[in-house]
Coordinates of all heavy atoms in Angstrom, one line a residue:
Chain A
A25 N -26.8 -24.0 -29.3 CA -26.2 -24.4 -28.1 C -24.6 -24.0 -28.0 O -24.3 -23.6 -27.0 CB -26.4 -25.9 -28.0
F26 N -24.1 -24.2 -29.1 CA -22.6 -24.0 -29.1 C -22.4 -22.5 -28.9 O -21.4 -22.0 -28.1 CB -22.0 -24.5 -30.5 CG -20.6 -24.1 -30.6 CD1 -19.6 -24.7 -29.9 CD2 -20.1 -23.0 -31.3 CE1 -18.2 -24.5 -30.0 CE2 -18.8 -22.6 -31.5 CZ -17.8 -23.4 -30.8
A27 N -23.2 -21.6 -29.5 CA -23.0 -20.2 -29.5 C -23.2 -19.7 -28.0 O -22.5 -18.9 -27.4 CB -24.0 -19.4 -30.4
A28 N -24.2 -20.4 -27.3 CA -24.6 -20.1 -25.9 C -23.4 -20.4 -25.0 O -23.0 -19.7 -24.2 CB -25.9 -20.8 -25.5
L29 N -22.8 -21.6 -25.3 CA -21.7 -22.1 -24.4 C -20.5 -21.1 -24.6 O -19.9 -20.7 -23.7 CB -21.4 -23.5 -24.8 CG -22.3 -24.6 -24.2 CD1 -21.9 -25.9 -24.9 CD2 -22.1 -24.6 -22.7
S30 N -20.2 -20.9 -25.9 CA -19.1 -20.0 -26.2 C -19.2 -18.5 -25.5 O -18.2 -17.9 -25.3 CB -18.8 -20.0 -27.7 OG -19.8 -19.2 -28.3
H31 N -20.4 -18.2 -25.4 CA -20.7 -16.8 -24.9 C -20.6 -16.8 -23.3 O -20.3 -15.8 -22.8 CB -22.2 -16.4 -25.3 CG -22.4 -14.9 -24.8 ND1 -21.9 -13.9 -25.5 CD2 -23.3 -14.4 -24.0 CE1 -22.3 -12.8 -25.1 NE2 -23.1 -13.0 -24.1
A32 N -20.5 -17.9 -22.6 CA -20.4 -17.9 -21.2 C -19.1 -17.3 -20.8 O -18.1 -17.9 -21.2 CB -20.6 -19.3 -20.7
Q33 N -19.0 -16.3 -20.0 CA -17.8 -15.7 -19.5 C -17.4 -16.2 -18.2 O -18.1 -16.1 -17.2 CB -17.9 -14.2 -19.5 CG -16.6 -13.5 -19.2 CD -16.9 -12.0 -18.7 OE1 -18.0 -11.5 -19.0 NE2 -15.9 -11.3 -18.3
T34 N -16.3 -17.0 -18.2 CA -15.8 -17.5 -16.8 C -14.5 -17.0 -16.4 O -14.0 -17.5 -15.4 CB -15.7 -19.1 -17.0 OG1 -14.9 -19.4 -18.1 CG2 -17.1 -19.7 -17.4
T35 N -14.0 -16.1 -16.9 CA -12.7 -15.3 -16.4 C -13.0 -13.9 -16.6 O -13.8 -13.3 -17.4 CB -11.5 -15.8 -17.3 OG1 -11.6 -15.3 -18.6 CG2 -11.3 -17.2 -17.1
T36 N -12.3 -13.2 -15.7 CA -12.2 -11.7 -15.8 C -10.9 -11.2 -15.4 O -10.1 -12.0 -14.7 CB -13.3 -11.0 -14.8 OG1 -13.3 -9.6 -15.0 CG2 -13.0 -11.4 -13.4
S37 N -10.5 -10.1 -15.8 CA -9.1 -9.7 -15.5 C -9.2 -8.1 -15.1 O -10.1 -7.5 -15.3 CB -8.3 -9.7 -16.8 OG -8.8 -8.9 -17.9
S38 N -8.0 -7.8 -14.5 CA -7.8 -6.4 -14.1 C -6.4 -6.1 -14.0 O -5.5 -7.1 -14.1 CB -8.5 -6.2 -12.7 OG -7.8 -6.9 -11.8
S39 N -6.0 -4.9 -13.9 CA -4.7 -4.6 -13.8 C -4.4 -3.5 -12.7 O -5.3 -2.7 -12.4 CB -4.0 -4.1 -15.1 OG -4.7 -2.9 -15.5
L40 N -3.2 -3.6 -12.2 CA -2.8 -2.6 -11.1 C -1.5 -2.1 -11.4 O -0.5 -2.9 -11.4 CB -2.9 -3.3 -9.7 CG -2.5 -2.4 -8.5 CD1 -3.8 -1.4 -8.2 CD2 -2.4 -3.3 -7.2
V41 N -1.3 -0.8 -11.6 CA 0.0 -0.3 -11.8 C 0.6 0.3 -10.4 O -0.1 1.0 -9.7 CB 0.0 1.0 -12.7 CG1 1.2 1.6 -13.0 CG2 -0.7 0.6 -14.0
V42 N 1.6 -0.4 -10.1 CA 2.4 -0.1 -8.8 C 3.5 0.9 -9.0 O 4.4 0.6 -10.1 CB 2.8 -1.4 -8.3 CG1 3.4 -1.1 -6.9 CG2 1.7 -2.4 -8.1
S43 N 3.6 1.8 -8.3 CA 4.7 2.8 -8.5 C 5.3 3.1 -7.1 O 4.8 3.1 -6.1 CB 4.2 4.1 -9.2 OG 3.3 4.8 -8.3
M44 N 6.6 3.4 -7.1 CA 7.4 3.9 -6.0 C 8.7 4.6 -6.5 O 9.1 4.3 -7.6 CB 7.7 2.7 -5.0 CG 8.8 1.8 -5.7 SD 9.3 0.5 -4.6 CE 7.9 -0.6 -4.8
T45 N 9.1 5.4 -5.6 CA 10.4 6.1 -5.8 C 11.3 5.7 -4.6 O 11.0 6.0 -3.5 CB 10.2 7.6 -5.9 OG1 9.3 8.0 -6.9 CG2 11.5 8.3 -6.1
V46 N 12.3 5.1 -5.0 CA 13.3 4.7 -3.9 C 14.3 5.8 -3.6 O 14.8 6.3 -4.6 CB 14.0 3.4 -4.3 CG1 14.9 3.0 -3.1 CG2 13.1 2.2 -4.5
Q47 N 14.5 6.1 -2.4 CA 15.4 7.1 -2.0 C 16.6 6.6 -1.2 O 16.2 5.6 -0.4 CB 14.8 8.3 -1.3 CG 14.2 8.0 0.0 CD 13.7 9.1 0.8 OE1 13.7 10.2 0.3 NE2 13.1 8.9 2.1
S48 N 17.7 7.1 -1.3 CA 18.9 6.7 -0.3 C 18.5 7.2 1.0 O 17.9 8.2 1.2 CB 20.1 7.4 -0.9 OG 20.4 7.0 -2.3
S49 N 19.0 6.5 2.0 CA 18.7 6.8 3.3 C 19.8 6.3 4.2 O 20.5 5.5 3.9 CB 17.3 6.2 3.8 OG 17.3 4.8 3.7
I50 N 19.8 6.9 5.4 CA 20.9 6.7 6.4 C 20.2 6.6 7.7 O 19.2 7.4 8.0 CB 22.0 7.7 6.3 CG1 23.2 7.1 7.1 CG2 21.6 8.9 6.6 CD1 24.4 8.0 6.8
S51 N 20.7 5.8 8.7 CA 20.0 5.6 10.0 C 21.1 5.7 11.1 O 22.2 5.2 10.8 CB 19.2 4.3 9.9 OG 18.8 4.1 11.3
L52 N 20.7 6.3 12.2 CA 21.7 6.3 13.3 C 20.8 5.9 14.5 O 19.7 6.4 14.7 CB 22.3 7.7 13.5 CG 23.2 7.8 14.6 CD1 24.2 9.0 14.4 CD2 22.6 8.0 16.0
E53 N 21.4 4.9 15.2 CA 20.6 4.5 16.5 C 21.8 4.3 17.6 O 22.9 4.0 17.3 CB 19.8 3.3 16.2 CG 20.7 2.0 15.7 CD 19.7 1.0 15.4 OE1 18.8 1.1 14.5 OE2 19.9 -0.2 15.8
F54 N 21.2 4.3 18.8 CA 22.1 4.1 20.0 C 21.9 2.7 20.4 O 20.9 2.2 20.4 CB 21.7 5.2 21.1 CG 22.0 6.6 20.7 CD1 20.9 7.4 20.3 CD2 23.2 7.2 20.8 CE1 21.1 8.7 19.9 CE2 23.5 8.5 20.4 CZ 22.4 9.2 20.0
V55 N 23.1 2.1 20.7 CA 23.0 0.7 21.1 C 23.9 0.5 22.4 O 24.9 1.2 22.6 CB 23.8 0.0 19.9 CG1 23.9 -1.6 20.3 CG2 23.1 0.1 18.6
N56 N 23.3 -0.4 23.1 CA 23.9 -0.8 24.4 C 25.3 -1.5 24.2 O 25.4 -2.2 23.3 CB 23.1 -1.6 25.2 CG 22.1 -0.8 26.2 OD1 22.4 0.1 26.8 ND2 20.8 -1.3 26.3
V57 N 26.2 -1.1 25.0 CA 27.5 -1.8 24.9 C 27.2 -3.3 25.6 O 26.3 -3.4 26.5 CB 28.6 -1.2 25.7 CG1 29.7 -2.0 25.9 CG2 28.9 0.1 25.0
A58 N 27.9 -4.3 25.1 CA 27.7 -5.6 25.7 C 28.0 -5.5 27.2 O 28.9 -4.9 27.6 CB 28.7 -6.5 24.9
G59 N 27.1 -6.2 27.8 CA 27.3 -6.1 29.3 C 26.8 -4.9 30.0 O 27.3 -4.5 31.1
A60 N 25.9 -4.3 29.3 CA 25.4 -3.0 29.9 C 24.8 -3.3 31.2 O 24.1 -4.2 31.5 CB 24.3 -2.4 28.8
G61 N 25.0 -2.2 32.0 CA 24.6 -2.3 33.5 C 25.9 -2.4 34.4 O 25.7 -2.0 35.5
T62 N 26.9 -2.9 33.8 CA 28.0 -3.0 34.7 C 28.9 -1.6 34.6 O 28.5 -0.7 33.9 CB 29.1 -4.1 34.1 OG1 29.4 -3.8 32.8 CG2 28.5 -5.5 34.2
Q63 N 29.8 -1.4 35.5 CA 30.4 -0.3 35.6 C 31.1 0.2 34.4 O 31.7 -0.5 33.7 CB 31.5 -0.2 36.7 CG 32.0 1.2 37.0 CD 32.9 1.3 38.2 OE1 33.8 0.4 38.4 NE2 32.6 2.3 39.2
G64 N 30.7 1.6 34.0 CA 31.2 2.1 32.8 C 30.3 1.8 31.6 O 30.6 2.2 30.5
T65 N 29.2 1.1 31.8 CA 28.4 0.8 30.6 C 26.9 0.8 31.1 O 26.2 -0.2 31.1 CB 28.5 -0.7 30.0 OG1 28.5 -1.6 31.1 CG2 30.0 -0.8 29.6
C66 N 26.5 1.9 31.4 CA 25.0 2.1 31.9 C 24.1 1.7 30.7 O 24.3 2.0 29.7 CB 24.7 3.6 32.3 SG 25.5 4.1 33.8
S67 N 23.0 1.0 31.0 CA 22.0 0.7 30.0 C 21.3 2.1 29.6 O 21.0 2.8 30.5 CB 21.0 -0.2 30.7 OG 21.6 -1.5 30.9
I68 N 21.1 2.1 28.4 CA 20.4 3.2 27.8 C 18.9 2.9 27.6 O 18.5 1.7 27.3 CB 21.0 3.7 26.5 CG1 21.0 2.6 25.4 CG2 22.4 4.3 26.7 CD1 21.6 3.0 24.2
T69 N 18.1 3.9 27.8 CA 16.7 3.8 27.6 C 16.6 4.2 26.1 O 17.0 5.3 25.6 CB 15.8 4.7 28.4 OG1 16.1 4.3 29.8 CG2 14.4 4.6 28.2
G70 N 15.8 3.3 25.4 CA 15.5 3.7 24.0 C 16.7 3.1 23.1 O 17.0 3.6 22.1
A71 N 17.2 2.0 23.6 CA 18.3 1.3 22.8 C 17.7 1.0 21.5 O 16.5 0.6 21.3 CB 18.8 0.2 23.6
N72 N 18.6 0.9 20.5 CA 18.3 0.7 19.1 C 17.3 1.6 18.4 O 16.6 1.3 17.5 CB 17.8 -0.8 19.0 CG 18.8 -1.8 19.6 OD1 19.9 -1.7 19.3 ND2 18.3 -2.6 20.5
T73 N 17.2 2.8 19.0 CA 16.4 3.8 18.4 C 17.4 5.1 18.2 O 18.5 5.1 18.8 CB 15.2 4.3 19.1 OG1 15.6 5.0 20.3 CG2 14.4 3.0 19.6
S74 N 16.8 6.1 17.6 CA 17.6 7.3 17.5 C 17.3 8.3 18.5 O 17.9 9.4 18.5 CB 17.3 7.9 16.1 OG 15.9 8.3 16.0
T75 N 16.4 8.0 19.5 CA 16.2 8.9 20.5 C 16.4 8.0 21.8 O 15.4 7.4 22.3 CB 14.7 9.5 20.4 OG1 14.6 10.0 19.2 CG2 14.5 10.5 21.5
A76 N 17.5 8.2 22.4 CA 17.8 7.3 23.7 C 18.2 8.3 24.8 O 18.3 9.5 24.6 CB 18.9 6.4 23.3
S77 N 18.2 7.7 26.0 CA 18.7 8.5 27.2 C 19.5 7.6 28.1 O 19.4 6.3 28.1 CB 17.5 9.1 28.0 OG 16.6 8.0 28.4
V78 N 20.3 8.2 28.9 CA 21.1 7.4 29.8 C 21.2 8.3 31.1 O 21.3 9.5 31.1 CB 22.5 7.2 29.3 CG1 23.3 8.4 29.0 CG2 23.4 6.4 30.3
N79 N 21.0 7.5 32.2 CA 20.9 8.2 33.5 C 22.2 8.1 34.3 O 22.6 7.1 34.7 CB 19.7 7.5 34.3 CG 19.6 8.3 35.7 OD1 20.1 9.4 35.8 ND2 18.8 7.7 36.5
F80 N 22.9 9.3 34.5 CA 24.1 9.3 35.2 C 23.8 9.4 36.6 O 24.8 9.6 37.5 CB 25.0 10.4 34.7 CG 25.8 10.0 33.5 CD1 25.6 8.8 32.8 CD2 26.8 10.9 33.0 CE1 26.3 8.5 31.7 CE2 27.6 10.5 31.8 CZ 27.3 9.3 31.2
G81 N 22.6 9.6 37.1 CA 22.2 9.6 38.4 C 22.6 11.0 39.2 O 22.5 12.0 38.5
I82 N 22.8 10.9 40.5 CA 23.2 12.1 41.2 C 24.7 11.9 41.6 O 25.2 10.9 42.3 CB 22.3 12.2 42.4 CG1 20.9 12.3 42.2 CG2 22.7 13.4 43.3 CD1 19.9 12.1 43.2
A83 N 25.4 12.9 41.3 CA 26.9 12.9 41.5 C 27.4 14.0 42.3 O 26.7 15.0 42.3 CB 27.6 12.7 40.2
S84 N 28.5 13.8 42.9 CA 29.2 14.9 43.6 C 30.7 14.5 43.8 O 31.0 13.4 43.3 CB 28.5 15.1 45.0 OG 28.9 14.0 45.9
I85 N 31.3 15.4 44.5 CA 32.8 15.0 44.7 C 32.9 13.6 45.4 O 34.0 13.1 45.4 CB 33.5 16.1 45.4 CG1 35.1 15.9 45.2 CG2 33.1 16.3 46.8 CD1 35.5 16.2 43.9
A86 N 31.8 13.3 46.1 CA 31.9 12.1 46.9 C 31.6 10.8 46.2 O 31.8 9.7 46.7 CB 30.9 12.2 48.0
G87 N 31.2 11.1 44.9 CA 30.8 9.9 44.1 C 29.5 10.0 43.4 O 28.9 11.0 43.3
D88 N 29.0 8.9 42.8 CA 27.8 8.8 42.0 C 26.9 7.6 42.5 O 27.5 6.6 42.9 CB 28.1 8.6 40.5 CG 26.9 8.8 39.7 OD1 25.9 8.1 39.7 OD2 27.0 9.9 38.8
N89 N 25.6 8.0 42.6 CA 24.7 6.9 43.1 C 24.4 5.9 42.1 O 23.6 5.0 42.3 CB 23.4 7.6 43.8 CG 22.5 8.2 42.6 OD1 23.0 8.4 41.4 ND2 21.3 8.4 42.9
Q90 N 24.9 6.0 40.8 CA 24.6 4.9 39.9 C 25.9 4.1 39.7 O 27.0 4.6 39.3 CB 24.3 5.6 38.5 CG 23.1 6.5 38.5 CD 21.9 5.6 38.6 OE1 21.8 4.6 37.8 NE2 20.9 6.0 39.4

Side-chain angles (χ1 to χ4, degrees):
Chain A
F26 176 76
L29 278 175
S30 64
H31 186 68
Q33 184 192 351
T34 56
T35 65
T36 183
S37 61
S38 66
S39 67
L40 181 67
V41 176
V42 182
S43 64
M44 70 175 75
T45 301
V46 180
Q47 67 176 1
S48 304
S49 55
I50 189 169
S51 167
L52 185 153
E53 60 189 52
F54 298 96
V55 178
N56 272 320
V57 171
T62 59
Q63 191 170 44
T65 59
C66 289
S67 295
I68 56 177
T69 300
N72 305 314
T73 74
S74 60
T75 307
S77 64
V78 60
N79 182 11
F80 277 6
I82 301 171
S84 71
I85 193 67
D88 191 294
N89 70 344
Q90 297 288 312

